[in-house]
Amino acid sequence: MQEMGFQTAGYEAEPPEVMARNINVGVRLLSAAMVSFFGAFLFAYVYLKERDAGAVWRPSSVKVPTGTGIGVLACVLVSALLTGVAVDALRRRGEGAWRGPAAISLLLIYAALGVQCYQWASLPFTPGSGPYASVFVAWTGFYGGVALLTSIYWLQTMVTGSFRTRHVPAGPVVSVAGAAGGEGAISGRIQVEARSFAFYWYFLAGVQVVTFLLLYVVA
Amino acid sequence: MSAAAIPAAGPVREPWWRGLGRFNVFTGIVLGIGGYLIGALVIGHVLSKGIPAQTETNQNDIEFVCGILLGIVGFLVGMGFLNYPIARLTGAAPTLREKEEKGIARYFTLCTDHKVVGIQYLWGVLFFFLVAGLNAMLIRTQLLYPTEHFWSADNYITLVGLHGTMMMMMTTSMVLGPFGNYFVPVMVGAKRMAFPRIEALSFWLLPVAGVVLLAAVGAKGFPTGWTGYANLSVQAKLGMDCYLISFALIGISMALVGFNMLVTVYTMRAPGMTWTRLPIFVWSVIATAFLQLLAAPVLIAGMSLVLLDRVVGTTFFMPFSGGSPFLYENLFWFFGHPEVYILALPGFGLVLEILPVFSRKPLWGYRLAVAGLMGVALLSFFVWQHHLFVSGINPDLRPFFMFTTELISIPTALVFLNAMGTLFRGKIRFSVPMLFALALFFNFFIGGASGVFLSDAPSDVSTHGSFFVMAHFHYTIMGGLVFAFFGGLFYWFPKMFGVHLNEKLGKLQFWLFFIFFNLTFFPLFAVGMLGQPRRVSAYSPSLQWLNDWVTAAAYMIGLSFAVFVVNVVYSCFFERRRPEANPWHSKGIEWQLPTPIPVDNFERVPVINASPYEYGTPEAPLVANLNPSHAEVVAAGG
């Protein structure tokens, strides 16, 4: 429930407890909405593959671009792993220890997007080459355009903010559950956001694993 | 000269036109038009080069879609929606407020005050309701004669599609938009919504979607009606792109509203606002928000896939290339049936909020009502295939979906039971909000009972696609939601605008609307049973007298809305009757606050002491303690 409001650290801040809950609950609901969204692509995949009456699901001329698919998957999984390392470092050693792994994790998401763009540019089939090609283009397209871009924006904002304020002296300690003591309001916010982002990014990494299995392995 | 001798300078008023350049509707429109031109003439032109299917026909979907999408982005940039994300990216500190100031300008810009957004929604919804209502009048005019017509068949089906799509798109926001945004934070004791900018975005997507949909008229219309079935939609003219993009935008808006409402209610309730003290309207918002959050993304995906088929050349719905039109039907109705309850549930919650106030009794069976609302929400995900009984569903699946569809009448009946229990032995006041609330139950009963015929596969086979279906869903949606909307509007208008709407004109509007609503739609059951199909303007001459009757009654519904407009103008600008602080003697927390409600709602976060339905209990405490001591906050779990 809502706490008494107050101002912190020179800007009009959310009461940190409320902010933490808002972001925590929000990110879970966002993930639920994403399940519905990508569920529609999954349904299209299963439906069209199973009722492949004319045997045109994936003609032999449509080659699966496995190499670049592995590239995207690897970038996403390593990035998710590093996000976990970063959150753990934040919890144990504070914001300073979080920045490095978080920045590398961000670079890997950029890399995943880069590999994905390269894959689209060099795709060995067109979107109209059958139902498989259609699902492939739509699914990877929305994963890149929605999932990767939103993750990049979120993590980039946190990393940039953290690097900018790395020399700011510690402000008043904010009672965010589990916050690193002494790093003040900004650290408290990073703490909350980092954990929420990690949840979101693990979830999206899971989506990427499912994507890989269906589009590249089962195909 | 001493400083004291200098007269104090008052605030310098700058010329009004300077404000035009500061991220508002004006800059939004300018950048929107610029975005459209760049998207269509530059980006779309380049992308479509070398694609004969686009460039060598008279229909370049790539240019058109690029234009619309970039136009939308331009509008949102012009409204200022990118300012904060870019500022945060470049290191700015987080803030929660934007343009929460006084004056009329805040209604034409990105404002984070939830009450402003509520009022923006109210006028936006009313505007599109008016446009779609006028379309309905044109449809009925076309049906005055069985064979001689005012418009061509193409234009008629576009009119039908525009009416249906606009009503279904806009009415999803009819209760949740104005009343949900305005009152839910107040009712849970919060100072604002959890994500105020997302709240503003959810509103501004609504007029954008409306304008894009209306643009379909200039792009040769669309032939599919509001359901947009593939593969007709894949082959249709440019106007179809407008339908697809606008419906996807509404889907995004719906999902954002649901997301924001759920977070707000879950995390921002005041101390003492336990789940069992939540107003029933808030519970209906929770149930609706779940549906919006989980169903709308499927709509967005479905619309996107059709757009990809049209623009990129994918083959999701083209049978000769391995696609399937049934894929679209499943995706659409997986959203489309929960959509019906997205429309109905807030209406139920609203009338259950009104009934105790005007019968001076506690809400009967509060927990039962919550169970009913949540039960409807849950079951609504398991009934979508009844829309496909006659269009390709595996016959073995029919019994299951018949069963689930009929099952949903049980939680719906719980809501009726709550209403009847609340009214029983109550001291009923037949004020205008109460009249609208009572009418909902009469109308929805007819709508629900006729729905049984459509949920049974054998009877659905003969009624599907006829005016019977049309009469059924108008009884549920118009007879339910629109009546609830007007009930809520008359109930909360004094709180929102500080003006009491004229009671006599209100009653005149109600009786005109109620009588002619029934005279319009009840005969349509007969028209449907006699075999007149939907979406076709030619019909058997033997049905002309029934159709003419319906058309005349429909015009009278239009007249009832004109009475409403007269009432608003008369009450606001001529009569100006200031209401007492709590004109309905309601126990709701919103009536404890001053009118207009301050920007922050509460000076301090309140402590909730009691349920808002303690009518008939003289010693019941006020619902909220607006000035609690620290000890009281702690005692309430704050």
Side-chain angles (χ1 to χ4, degrees):
Chain A
M1 288 183 206
Q2 195 174 5
E3 308 292 333
M4 308 298 284
F6 61 90
Q7 308 279 313
T8 56
Y11 57 82
E12 180 210 345
E14 183 95 50
E17 295 84 358
V18 178
M19 179 194 74
R21 280 198 297 269
N22 284 352
I23 297 178
N24 273 330
V25 173
V27 80
R28 280 153 180 79
L29 293 176
L30 178 64
S31 303
M34 285 284 192
V35 168
S36 275
F37 184 68
F38 285 106
F41 295 98
L42 177 64
F43 181 76
Y45 176 94
V46 174
Y47 192 87
L48 295 178
K49 190 172 192 309
E50 288 308 307
R51 65 178 307 285
D52 184 23
V56 291
W57 162 252
R58 187 166 71 85
S60 56
S61 59
V62 174
K63 306 287 183 211
V64 180
T66 311
T68 44
I70 290 173
V72 175
L73 179 70
C75 289
V76 169
L77 288 183
V78 176
S79 167
L81 194 70
L82 276 172
T83 303
V85 171
V87 169
D88 191 53
L90 179 62
R91 187 169 56 82
R92 289 170 189 274
R93 288 177 283 144
E95 192 177 332
W98 171 83
R99 279 184 208 114
I104 299 170
S105 174
L106 174 65
L107 288 176
L108 281 167
I109 309 178
Y110 274 115
L113 187 63
V115 176
Q116 186 63 71
C117 289
Y118 171 76
Q119 184 189 62
W120 292 328
S122 58
L123 214 53
F125 50 81
T126 67
S129 308
Y132 168 80
S134 299
V135 175
F136 184 95
V137 169
W139 193 328
T140 57
F142 280 101
Y143 189 84
V146 177
L148 293 183
L149 281 182
T150 51
S151 306
I152 283 172
Y153 172 76
W154 192 354
L155 190 53
Q156 177 79 65
T157 307
M158 279 194 292
V159 170
T160 309
S162 180
F163 272 105
R164 276 175 193 276
T165 56
R166 64 188 184 279
H167 300 305
V168 174
V173 177
V174 176
S175 60
V176 178
E183 292 220 15
I186 296 167
S187 194
R189 186 175 178 95
I190 288 284
Q191 181 90 243
V192 168
E193 284 202 45
R195 278 187 294 184
S196 297
F197 173 78
F199 178 90
Y200 182 62
W201 190 224
Y202 295 154
F203 164 75
L204 289 178
V207 172
Q208 178 60 29
V209 170
V210 175
T211 308
F212 183 80
L213 289 175
L214 291 177
L215 293 181
Y216 297 92
V217 180
V218 181
Chain B
M1 193 185 282
S2 72
I6 301 172
V12 180
R13 291 193 68 178
E14 60 177 18
W16 64 269
W17 47 265
R18 282 208 181 153
L20 292 179
R22 284 195 206 125
F23 296 107
N24 49 35
V25 172
F26 179 74
T27 46
I29 292 171
V30 169
L31 290 191
I33 293 171
Y36 175 81
L37 294 174
I38 293 170
L41 302 180
V42 181
I43 299 175
H45 186 71
V46 170
L47 289 177
S48 61
K49 255 186 185 174
I51 304 176
Q54 300 286 345
T55 54
E56 291 177 12
T57 60
N58 199 17
Q59 179 170 324
N60 193 328
D61 285 288
I62 294 180
E63 284 184 0
F64 192 56
V65 169
C66 284
I68 294 177
L69 293 181
L70 220 66
I72 293 166
V73 172
F75 177 79
L76 295 178
V77 170
M79 288 294 299
F81 278 100
L82 278 193
N83 296 357
Y84 182 71
I86 290 174
R88 289 283 290 129
L89 200 56
T90 52
T95 66
L96 296 169
R97 293 172 188 271
E98 215 155 311
K99 298 187 178 166
E100 291 184 2
E101 55 216 25
K102 297 202 170 182
I104 202 161
R106 64 191 161 151
Y107 294 103
F108 298 94
T109 186
L110 187 177
C111 177
T112 47
D113 182 348
H114 66 93
K115 296 172 291 296
V116 172
V117 177
I119 290 172
Q120 286 173 328
Y121 257 114
L122 178 66
W123 298 121
V125 163
L126 279 174
F127 173 77
F128 287 110
F129 186 67
L130 174 72
V131 174
L134 289 174
N135 282 339
M137 298 295 139
L138 296 178
I139 291 168
R140 286 314 315 174
T141 304
Q142 177 88 334
L143 294 172
L144 273 171
Y145 302 102
T147 50
E148 298 159 28
H149 295 309
F150 297 91
W151 300 282
S152 67
D154 278 357
N155 287 339
Y156 176 74
I157 192 65
T158 295
L159 261 181
V160 172
L162 268 181
H163 165 75
T165 312
M166 196 163 280
M167 284 296 192
M168 293 304 276
M169 281 167 44
M170 302 306 162
T171 52
T172 51
S173 309
M174 204 159 193
V175 168
L176 220 57
F179 307 133
N181 280 296
Y182 199 106
F183 287 108
V184 165
V186 176
M187 285 174 145
V188 301
K191 293 189 171 190
R192 55 178 187 79
M193 291 286 278
F195 299 101
R197 285 184 187 79
I198 288 180
E199 183 190 25
L201 177 64
S202 67
F203 165 72
W204 282 108
L205 289 176
L206 184 90
V208 174
V211 169
V212 171
L213 183 68
L214 285 173
V217 178
K220 301 178 183 172
F222 59 98
T224 57
W226 85 275
T227 50
Y229 269 18
N231 46 9
L232 179 58
S233 60
V234 177
Q235 299 159 338
K237 293 173 183 160
L238 282 178
M240 201 72 223
D241 295 326
C242 297
Y243 163 91
L244 295 166
I245 293 172
S246 61
F247 224 156
L249 284 177
I250 286 295
I252 295 170
S253 169
M254 268 195 267
L256 293 179
V257 171
F259 168 82
N260 217 349
M261 290 286 173
L262 285 173
V263 179
T264 303
V265 176
Y266 189 77
T267 65
M268 300 186 70
R269 284 171 292 126
M273 180 56 86
T274 57
W275 289 107
T276 51
R277 283 179 179 166
L278 272 185
I280 199 68
F281 176 65
V282 177
W283 271 110
S284 75
V285 168
I286 293 174
T288 311
F290 265 114
L291 293 181
Q292 290 184 313
L293 187 79
L294 297 178
V298 180
L299 170 78
I300 302 165
M303 296 295 130
S304 306
L305 296 188
V306 182
L307 209 57
L308 286 175
D309 265 16
R310 290 173 58 82
V311 175
V312 182
T314 53
T315 62
F316 285 103
F317 309 111
M318 305 304 281
F320 58 82
S321 308
S324 169
F326 298 123
L327 171 62
Y328 178 84
E329 292 185 19
N330 279 292
L331 290 177
F332 182 81
W333 286 113
F334 189 80
F335 154 79
H337 203 85
E339 152 90 342
V340 173
Y341 294 102
I342 288 171
L343 299 171
L345 288 176
F348 288 164
L350 213 166
V351 295
L352 289 183
E353 193 69 38
I354 288 174
L355 290 185
V357 179
F358 292 91
S359 52
R360 312 311 297 165
K361 273 185 66 190
L363 178 65
W364 186 84
Y366 174 89
R367 285 166 197 252
L368 213 57
V370 173
L373 294 168
M374 300 310 276
V376 169
L378 182 67
L379 279 174
S380 71
F381 280 112
F382 299 95
V383 300
W384 86 97
Q385 288 259 346
H386 70 228
H387 293 276
L388 313 182
F389 277 159
V390 294
S391 50
I393 182 179
N394 181 341
D396 293 339
L397 286 174
R398 282 176 172 173
F400 173 76
F401 284 99
M402 279 170 58
F403 174 70
T404 54
T405 306
E406 290 177 6
L407 200 62
I408 211 168
S409 60
I410 294 174
T412 311
L414 292 183
V415 175
F416 273 68
L417 205 59
N418 297 128
M420 300 309 120
T422 306
L423 292 171
F424 184 63
R425 292 187 176 170
K427 293 177 186 166
I428 297 173
R429 286 180 292 167
F430 290 101
S431 303
V432 180
M434 185 62 158
L435 290 174
F436 277 106
L438 292 174
L440 175 139
F441 290 100
F442 179 85
N443 297 333
F444 204 90
F445 177 74
I446 297 175
S450 58
V452 175
F453 294 90
L454 299 168
S455 66
D456 277 347
S459 53
D460 184 56
V461 168
S462 59
T463 48
H464 188 91
S466 75
F467 266 80
F468 187 93
V469 181
M470 205 275 252
H472 157 72
F473 70 70
H474 276 83
Y475 258 101
T476 54
I477 295 171
M478 194 170 178
L481 178 79
V482 178
F483 274 81
F485 167 76
F486 278 112
L489 191 55
F490 274 89
Y491 177 63
W492 276 317
F493 203 89
K495 180 51 69 180
M496 294 172 88
F497 298 100
V499 172
H500 203 110
L501 286 175
N502 185 283
E503 191 81 357
K504 281 183 183 164
L505 284 171
K507 285 185 176 170
L508 175 65
Q509 180 210 344
F510 167 76
W511 284 112
L512 277 175
F513 185 24
F514 179 66
I515 291 169
F516 287 102
F517 166 79
N518 279 285
L519 290 179
T520 300
F521 291 101
F522 204 82
L524 287 179
F525 286 119
V527 171
M529 294 296 277
L530 291 168
Q532 185 172 333
R534 296 165 67 188
R535 298 172 179 163
V536 182
S537 56
Y539 57 87
S540 164
S542 64
L543 295 174
Q544 186 178 356
W545 74 273
L546 265 175
N547 273 285
D548 288 353
W549 171 282
V550 169
T551 299
Y555 290 155
M556 293 303 288
I557 295 179
L559 180 68
S560 77
F561 293 143
V563 173
F564 169 71
V565 174
V566 169
N567 193 355
V568 171
V569 173
Y570 176 72
S571 303
C572 292
F573 299 107
F574 296 98
E575 192 178 43
R576 292 185 173 188
R577 186 181 142 210
R578 296 285 167 204
E580 41 184 307
N582 188 354
W584 314 114
H585 306 291
S586 166
K587 287 187 177 288
I589 186 173
E590 70 273 24
W591 298 102
Q592 279 186 245
L593 296 173
T595 303
I597 297 175
V599 171
D600 277 336
N601 299 344
F602 306 96
E603 221 170 285
R604 310 182 64 186
V605 174
V607 166
I608 308 301
N609 294 320
S611 142
Y613 304 117
E614 302 284 337
Y615 295 100
T617 314
E619 66 275 15
L622 278 175
V623 171
N625 177 357
L626 299 182
N627 197 15
S629 65
H630 182 70
E632 286 169 319
V633 174
V634 172

